[in-house]
Amino acid sequence: QVQLVESGGGVVQAGGSLRLSCAASGRTVVSLGMAWFRQAPGKEREFVATITRGSSDTYYADSVKGRFTISRDTTKNTMYLQMSSLKPEDTAVFYCAARNSYNLGRRTSEYDYWGQGTQVTVSS
């Protein structure tokens, strides 16, 4: 069974940076397709970024492209989301997700495992 634990959320001013972490247990991060999603109050959970199983191809939502970077550290069995140039509209609960497929996945229904979420608040 895969377990995912996010950390690194907090309050930051617009234009600032944060790094989110997602520590995995039960499987290695390289053996999983992994992603970040976020959910703002009153909105549906939306795709942010993904890194594929094995090949480490990455894909980003247009709203974060050029500002966010997804990566993973196999020595720490952890995935990261480096966020910079943060905007108030980035405020949301950020979720780490993982799945067994080798393909890119951008839908919540495509992911088998989820973390509990970490709050990111960007003040103007």
Side-chain angles (χ1 to χ4, degrees):
Q1 182 73 3
V2 175
Q3 292 188 325
L4 305 171
V5 179
E6 302 99 333
S7 61
V11 180
V12 63
Q13 288 190 332
S17 299
L18 277 177
R19 188 179 77 161
L20 305 183
S21 300
C22 173
S25 60
R27 292 266 297 277
T28 62
V29 291
V30 74
S31 73
L32 294 163
M34 301 188 74
W36 289 96
F37 288 80
R38 66 185 180 185
Q39 188 166 18
K43 295 187 177 181
E44 293 187 352
R45 195 170 297 188
E46 66 173 3
F47 167 77
V48 174
T50 185
I51 185 165
T52 57
R53 177 179 178 178
S55 66
S56 298
D57 291 337
T58 59
Y59 187 83
Y60 298 89
D62 288 343
S63 59
V64 306
K65 202 172 295 182
R67 300 189 298 122
F68 291 9
T69 302
I70 190 171
S71 63
R72 59 188 172 206
D73 185 337
T74 56
T75 65
K76 297 181 179 180
N77 211 37
T78 298
M79 179 181 67
Y80 300 100
L81 185 69
Q82 179 67 49
M83 306 185 293
S84 60
S85 301
L86 283 162
K87 305 174 182 179
E89 51 263 43
D90 292 318
T91 295
V93 177
F94 281 71
Y95 295 91
C96 168
R99 64 181 196 150
N100 296 306
S101 173
Y102 284 91
N103 299 326
L104 285 171
R106 290 174 287 170
R107 301 177 187 154
T108 57
S109 60
E110 295 176 305
Y111 286 83
D112 305 303
Y113 311 104
W114 290 87
Q116 81 288 351
T118 186
Q119 176 72 47
V120 172
T121 302
V122 184
S123 62
S124 57

Tab-separated table of all heavy atoms in Angstrom, residues 8-54:
chain	number	residue	atom	x	y	z
A	8	GLY	N	5.282	21.364	3.772
A	8	GLY	CA	5.883	22.538	3.158
A	8	GLY	C	4.936	23.673	2.857
A	8	GLY	O	5.373	24.739	2.400
A	9	GLY	N	3.657	23.480	3.100
A	9	GLY	CA	2.719	24.559	2.865
A	9	GLY	C	2.893	25.672	3.879
A	9	GLY	O	3.614	25.534	4.876
A	10	GLY	N	2.232	26.794	3.623
A	10	GLY	CA	2.312	27.916	4.552
A	10	GLY	C	1.733	29.164	3.932
A	10	GLY	O	1.041	29.115	2.909
A	11	VAL	N	2.042	30.284	4.575
A	11	VAL	CA	1.583	31.593	4.114
A	11	VAL	C	2.777	32.333	3.531
A	11	VAL	O	3.837	32.405	4.158
A	11	VAL	CB	0.962	32.404	5.261
A	11	VAL	CG1	0.500	33.761	4.748
A	11	VAL	CG2	-0.194	31.638	5.893
A	12	VAL	N	2.594	32.881	2.346
A	12	VAL	CA	3.669	33.604	1.671
A	12	VAL	C	3.086	34.801	0.947
A	12	VAL	O	1.908	34.781	0.543
A	12	VAL	CB	4.404	32.658	0.689
A	12	VAL	CG1	3.476	32.178	-0.410
A	12	VAL	CG2	5.652	33.296	0.121
A	13	GLN	N	3.867	35.847	0.811
A	13	GLN	CA	3.406	37.023	0.078
A	13	GLN	C	3.487	36.781	-1.428
A	13	GLN	O	4.291	35.972	-1.908
A	13	GLN	CB	4.250	38.227	0.451
A	13	GLN	CG	3.983	38.754	1.849
A	13	GLN	CD	4.662	40.090	2.106
A	13	GLN	OE1	5.687	40.391	1.514
A	13	GLN	NE2	4.074	40.881	2.985
A	14	ALA	N	2.658	37.503	-2.142
A	14	ALA	CA	2.683	37.417	-3.603
A	14	ALA	C	4.096	37.706	-4.110
A	14	ALA	O	4.770	38.613	-3.621
A	14	ALA	CB	1.690	38.397	-4.200
A	15	GLY	N	4.521	36.894	-5.085
A	15	GLY	CA	5.875	37.011	-5.613
A	15	GLY	C	6.880	36.117	-4.913
A	15	GLY	O	8.004	35.955	-5.399
A	16	GLY	N	6.476	35.529	-3.807
A	16	GLY	CA	7.379	34.677	-3.043
A	16	GLY	C	7.426	33.250	-3.559
A	16	GLY	O	6.827	32.919	-4.585
A	17	SER	N	8.152	32.416	-2.815
A	17	SER	CA	8.372	31.025	-3.208
A	17	SER	C	8.092	30.081	-2.049
A	17	SER	O	8.203	30.468	-0.878
A	17	SER	CB	9.820	30.832	-3.662
A	17	SER	OG	10.130	31.644	-4.770
A	18	LEU	N	7.740	28.857	-2.410
A	18	LEU	CA	7.571	27.763	-1.451
A	18	LEU	C	7.974	26.473	-2.138
A	18	LEU	O	7.823	26.351	-3.359
A	18	LEU	CB	6.115	27.633	-0.985
A	18	LEU	CG	5.589	28.502	0.133
A	18	LEU	CD1	4.096	28.225	0.336
A	18	LEU	CD2	6.350	28.291	1.426
A	19	ARG	N	8.425	25.509	-1.352
A	19	ARG	CA	8.678	24.181	-1.876
A	19	ARG	C	7.841	23.170	-1.104
A	19	ARG	O	7.986	23.049	0.115
A	19	ARG	CB	10.147	23.797	-1.812
A	19	ARG	CG	10.423	22.490	-2.549
A	19	ARG	CD	11.881	22.095	-2.527
A	19	ARG	NE	12.290	21.530	-1.248
A	19	ARG	CZ	13.381	20.791	-1.062
A	19	ARG	NH1	14.174	20.523	-2.089
A	19	ARG	NH2	13.694	20.338	0.142
A	20	LEU	N	6.986	22.472	-1.817
A	20	LEU	CA	6.191	21.403	-1.224
A	20	LEU	C	6.911	20.073	-1.388
A	20	LEU	O	7.567	19.841	-2.395
A	20	LEU	CB	4.816	21.324	-1.886
A	20	LEU	CG	3.986	22.601	-1.900
A	20	LEU	CD1	2.624	22.317	-2.525
A	20	LEU	CD2	3.840	23.188	-0.521
A	21	SER	N	6.754	19.223	-0.386
A	21	SER	CA	7.337	17.885	-0.427
A	21	SER	C	6.237	16.845	-0.299
A	21	SER	O	5.225	17.078	0.373
A	21	SER	CB	8.336	17.696	0.719
A	21	SER	OG	9.389	18.629	0.646
A	22	CYS	N	6.458	15.701	-0.924
A	22	CYS	CA	5.540	14.573	-0.823
A	22	CYS	C	6.389	13.327	-0.573
A	22	CYS	O	7.034	12.816	-1.496
A	22	CYS	CB	4.735	14.412	-2.091
A	22	CYS	SG	3.717	12.915	-2.136
A	23	ALA	N	6.405	12.879	0.668
A	23	ALA	CA	7.179	11.699	1.039
A	23	ALA	C	6.344	10.447	0.808
A	23	ALA	O	5.213	10.356	1.284
A	23	ALA	CB	7.603	11.784	2.495
A	24	ALA	N	6.907	9.499	0.071
A	24	ALA	CA	6.195	8.273	-0.252
A	24	ALA	C	6.737	7.107	0.565
A	24	ALA	O	7.925	7.042	0.872
A	24	ALA	CB	6.337	7.965	-1.739
A	25	SER	N	5.852	6.179	0.901
A	25	SER	CA	6.255	4.927	1.533
A	25	SER	C	5.449	3.796	0.916
A	25	SER	O	4.358	4.012	0.390
A	25	SER	CB	6.043	4.967	3.047
A	25	SER	OG	4.689	5.185	3.354
A	26	GLY	N	6.017	2.607	0.943
A	26	GLY	CA	5.361	1.452	0.359
A	26	GLY	C	5.804	1.159	-1.067
A	26	GLY	O	5.703	0.019	-1.523
A	27	ARG	N	6.244	2.146	-1.785
A	27	ARG	CA	6.791	2.011	-3.154
A	27	ARG	C	7.828	3.114	-3.337
A	27	ARG	O	7.789	4.144	-2.662
A	27	ARG	CB	5.684	2.182	-4.197
A	27	ARG	CG	4.652	1.067	-4.222
A	27	ARG	CD	5.025	0.009	-5.262
A	27	ARG	NE	5.047	0.534	-6.610
A	27	ARG	CZ	3.968	0.675	-7.385
A	27	ARG	NH1	2.778	0.315	-6.927
A	27	ARG	NH2	4.076	1.145	-8.614
A	28	THR	N	8.705	2.935	-4.318
A	28	THR	CA	9.653	3.998	-4.634
A	28	THR	C	8.997	5.012	-5.565
A	28	THR	O	8.133	4.668	-6.385
A	28	THR	CB	10.908	3.439	-5.320
A	28	THR	OG1	10.521	2.830	-6.553
A	28	THR	CG2	11.597	2.399	-4.440
A	29	VAL	N	9.394	6.274	-5.431
A	29	VAL	CA	8.779	7.326	-6.251
A	29	VAL	C	9.042	7.109	-7.733
A	29	VAL	O	8.242	7.518	-8.578
A	29	VAL	CB	9.240	8.728	-5.817
A	29	VAL	CG1	8.678	9.074	-4.448
A	29	VAL	CG2	10.755	8.855	-5.838
A	30	VAL	N	10.145	6.460	-8.081
A	30	VAL	CA	10.442	6.254	-9.491
A	30	VAL	C	9.545	5.170	-10.095
A	30	VAL	O	9.376	5.100	-11.319
A	30	VAL	CB	11.933	5.896	-9.687
A	30	VAL	CG1	12.216	4.477	-9.230
A	30	VAL	CG2	12.366	6.126	-11.122
A	31	SER	N	8.931	4.349	-9.256
A	31	SER	CA	8.042	3.287	-9.738
A	31	SER	C	6.592	3.737	-9.825
A	31	SER	O	5.696	2.921	-10.094
A	31	SER	CB	8.132	2.067	-8.814
A	31	SER	OG	7.480	2.314	-7.583
A	32	LEU	N	6.365	5.018	-9.607
A	32	LEU	CA	5.014	5.576	-9.623
A	32	LEU	C	4.945	6.768	-10.571
A	32	LEU	O	5.905	7.533	-10.683
A	32	LEU	CB	4.620	6.047	-8.229
A	32	LEU	CG	4.468	4.982	-7.146
A	32	LEU	CD1	4.496	5.633	-5.766
A	32	LEU	CD2	3.189	4.194	-7.342
A	33	GLY	N	3.809	6.945	-11.232
A	33	GLY	CA	3.522	8.219	-11.863
A	33	GLY	C	2.964	9.123	-10.764
A	33	GLY	O	2.088	8.709	-10.006
A	34	MET	N	3.494	10.318	-10.658
A	34	MET	CA	3.111	11.169	-9.535
A	34	MET	C	2.700	12.550	-10.019
A	34	MET	O	3.093	12.996	-11.100
A	34	MET	CB	4.259	11.280	-8.536
A	34	MET	CG	4.684	9.925	-7.968
A	34	MET	SD	5.854	10.042	-6.627
A	34	MET	CE	4.777	10.601	-5.296
A	35	ALA	N	1.897	13.210	-9.208
A	35	ALA	CA	1.354	14.501	-9.625
A	35	ALA	C	1.013	15.353	-8.421
A	35	ALA	O	0.880	14.855	-7.298
A	35	ALA	CB	0.114	14.300	-10.484
A	36	TRP	N	0.844	16.625	-8.695
A	36	TRP	CA	0.287	17.577	-7.739
A	36	TRP	C	-1.027	18.094	-8.303
A	36	TRP	O	-1.118	18.433	-9.483
A	36	TRP	CB	1.237	18.747	-7.513
A	36	TRP	CG	2.471	18.392	-6.749
A	36	TRP	CD1	3.689	18.078	-7.256
A	36	TRP	CD2	2.603	18.310	-5.328
A	36	TRP	NE1	4.574	17.803	-6.246
A	36	TRP	CE2	3.929	17.944	-5.047
A	36	TRP	CE3	1.719	18.527	-4.254
A	36	TRP	CZ2	4.399	17.780	-3.739
A	36	TRP	CZ3	2.194	18.359	-2.967
A	36	TRP	CH2	3.511	17.983	-2.721
A	37	PHE	N	-2.002	18.163	-7.423
A	37	PHE	CA	-3.291	18.789	-7.706
A	37	PHE	C	-3.519	19.853	-6.649
A	37	PHE	O	-2.864	19.861	-5.603
A	37	PHE	CB	-4.425	17.756	-7.646
A	37	PHE	CG	-4.437	16.794	-8.807
A	37	PHE	CD1	-3.567	15.706	-8.830
A	37	PHE	CD2	-5.328	16.963	-9.855
A	37	PHE	CE1	-3.583	14.809	-9.890
A	37	PHE	CE2	-5.351	16.068	-10.917
A	37	PHE	CZ	-4.471	14.997	-10.935
A	38	ARG	N	-4.477	20.736	-6.892
A	38	ARG	CA	-4.839	21.715	-5.880
A	38	ARG	C	-6.332	21.972	-5.920
A	38	ARG	O	-6.991	21.781	-6.932
A	38	ARG	CB	-4.064	23.020	-6.080
A	38	ARG	CG	-4.403	23.780	-7.352
A	38	ARG	CD	-3.481	24.977	-7.505
A	38	ARG	NE	-3.781	25.749	-8.718
A	38	ARG	CZ	-3.063	26.776	-9.139
A	38	ARG	NH1	-1.987	27.169	-8.454
A	38	ARG	NH2	-3.400	27.412	-10.257
A	39	GLN	N	-6.829	22.414	-4.771
A	39	GLN	CA	-8.251	22.697	-4.661
A	39	GLN	C	-8.447	23.970	-3.867
A	39	GLN	O	-8.103	24.025	-2.673
A	39	GLN	CB	-8.994	21.541	-3.989
A	39	GLN	CG	-10.497	21.687	-4.018
A	39	GLN	CD	-11.203	20.396	-3.665
A	39	GLN	OE1	-10.611	19.478	-3.090
A	39	GLN	NE2	-12.476	20.302	-4.007
A	40	ALA	N	-8.980	24.986	-4.531
A	40	ALA	CA	-9.303	26.253	-3.890
A	40	ALA	C	-10.713	26.175	-3.304
A	40	ALA	O	-11.537	25.369	-3.763
A	40	ALA	CB	-9.200	27.384	-4.902
A	41	PRO	N	-11.019	27.006	-2.323
A	41	PRO	CA	-12.360	26.976	-1.709
A	41	PRO	C	-13.461	27.158	-2.749
A	41	PRO	O	-13.397	28.073	-3.580
A	41	PRO	CB	-12.325	28.148	-0.735
A	41	PRO	CG	-10.880	28.319	-0.411
A	41	PRO	CD	-10.138	27.975	-1.651
A	42	GLY	N	-14.431	26.270	-2.716
A	42	GLY	CA	-15.558	26.367	-3.620
A	42	GLY	C	-15.296	25.913	-5.036
A	42	GLY	O	-16.165	26.035	-5.908
A	43	LYS	N	-14.098	25.377	-5.294
A	43	LYS	CA	-13.751	24.950	-6.640
A	43	LYS	C	-13.405	23.464	-6.657
A	43	LYS	O	-13.119	22.864	-5.628
A	43	LYS	CB	-12.569	25.762	-7.171
A	43	LYS	CG	-12.881	27.244	-7.361
A	43	LYS	CD	-11.729	27.948	-8.056
A	43	LYS	CE	-12.069	29.404	-8.323
A	43	LYS	NZ	-10.966	30.117	-9.028
A	44	GLU	N	-13.411	22.907	-7.862
A	44	GLU	CA	-13.038	21.509	-8.006
A	44	GLU	C	-11.516	21.358	-7.920
A	44	GLU	O	-10.762	22.300	-8.193
A	44	GLU	CB	-13.533	20.965	-9.343
A	44	GLU	CG	-15.041	20.880	-9.451
A	44	GLU	CD	-15.493	20.173	-10.714
A	44	GLU	OE1	-14.637	19.880	-11.576
A	44	GLU	OE2	-16.686	19.908	-10.843
A	45	ARG	N	-11.099	20.156	-7.575
A	45	ARG	CA	-9.671	19.863	-7.542
A	45	ARG	C	-9.132	19.901	-8.970
A	45	ARG	O	-9.727	19.325	-9.880
A	45	ARG	CB	-9.435	18.492	-6.908
A	45	ARG	CG	-8.013	18.242	-6.493
A	45	ARG	CD	-7.894	16.974	-5.661
A	45	ARG	NE	-8.635	17.078	-4.416
A	45	ARG	CZ	-8.583	16.193	-3.431
A	45	ARG	NH1	-7.794	15.133	-3.541
A	45	ARG	NH2	-9.291	16.360	-2.343
A	46	GLU	N	-8.007	20.588	-9.156
A	46	GLU	CA	-7.472	20.748	-10.496
A	46	GLU	C	-6.019	20.289	-10.584
A	46	GLU	O	-5.269	20.354	-9.603
A	46	GLU	CB	-7.567	22.216	-10.952
A	46	GLU	CG	-6.713	23.181	-10.166
A	46	GLU	CD	-6.710	24.587	-10.750
A	46	GLU	OE1	-7.425	24.841	-11.740
A	46	GLU	OE2	-5.970	25.431	-10.215
A	47	PHE	N	-5.658	19.852	-11.765
A	47	PHE	CA	-4.314	19.381	-12.044
A	47	PHE	C	-3.322	20.543	-12.012
A	47	PHE	O	-3.613	21.640	-12.501
A	47	PHE	CB	-4.300	18.725	-13.421
A	47	PHE	CG	-2.936	18.462	-13.970
A	47	PHE	CD1	-2.195	17.391	-13.502
A	47	PHE	CD2	-2.391	19.288	-14.930
A	47	PHE	CE1	-0.929	17.143	-14.001
A	47	PHE	CE2	-1.133	19.057	-15.436
A	47	PHE	CZ	-0.399	17.986	-14.978
A	48	VAL	N	-2.140	20.285	-11.449
A	48	VAL	CA	-1.071	21.284	-11.416
A	48	VAL	C	0.138	20.813	-12.228
A	48	VAL	O	0.601	21.504	-13.126
A	48	VAL	CB	-0.647	21.577	-9.965
A	48	VAL	CG1	0.560	22.506	-9.939
A	48	VAL	CG2	-1.808	22.166	-9.171
A	49	ALA	N	0.658	19.634	-11.892
A	49	ALA	CA	1.868	19.142	-12.558
A	49	ALA	C	1.989	17.642	-12.348
A	49	ALA	O	1.473	17.102	-11.365
A	49	ALA	CB	3.112	19.835	-12.014
A	50	THR	N	2.689	16.983	-13.280
A	50	THR	CA	2.905	15.550	-13.152
A	50	THR	C	4.293	15.172	-13.636
A	50	THR	O	4.879	15.859	-14.475
A	50	THR	CB	1.834	14.748	-13.920
A	50	THR	OG1	2.018	13.349	-13.671
A	50	THR	CG2	1.942	14.986	-15.416
A	51	ILE	N	4.814	14.078	-13.082
A	51	ILE	CA	6.075	13.488	-13.510
A	51	ILE	C	5.813	12.004	-13.709
A	51	ILE	O	5.234	11.338	-12.856
A	51	ILE	CB	7.197	13.755	-12.482
A	51	ILE	CG1	8.538	13.237	-12.983
A	51	ILE	CG2	6.856	13.201	-11.107
A	51	ILE	CD1	9.731	13.793	-12.190
A	52	THR	N	6.217	11.495	-14.889
A	52	THR	CA	5.817	10.142	-15.238
A	52	THR	C	6.668	9.080	-14.554
A	52	THR	O	7.793	9.324	-14.133
A	52	THR	CB	5.906	9.924	-16.756
A	52	THR	OG1	7.250	10.200	-17.191
A	52	THR	CG2	4.929	10.813	-17.493
A	53	ARG	N	6.100	7.898	-14.480
A	53	ARG	CA	6.797	6.744	-13.941
A	53	ARG	C	7.964	6.374	-14.854
A	53	ARG	O	7.798	6.282	-16.070
A	53	ARG	CB	5.818	5.573	-13.835
A	53	ARG	CG	6.433	4.270	-13.360
A	53	ARG	CD	5.369	3.188	-13.274
A	53	ARG	NE	5.948	1.903	-12.870
A	53	ARG	CZ	5.248	0.789	-12.678
A	53	ARG	NH1	3.935	0.805	-12.829
A	53	ARG	NH2	5.852	-0.319	-12.334
A	54	GLY	N	9.133	6.231	-14.273
A	54	GLY	CA	10.301	5.758	-15.010
A	54	GLY	C	11.023	6.823	-15.809
A	54	GLY	O	12.179	7.140	-15.535
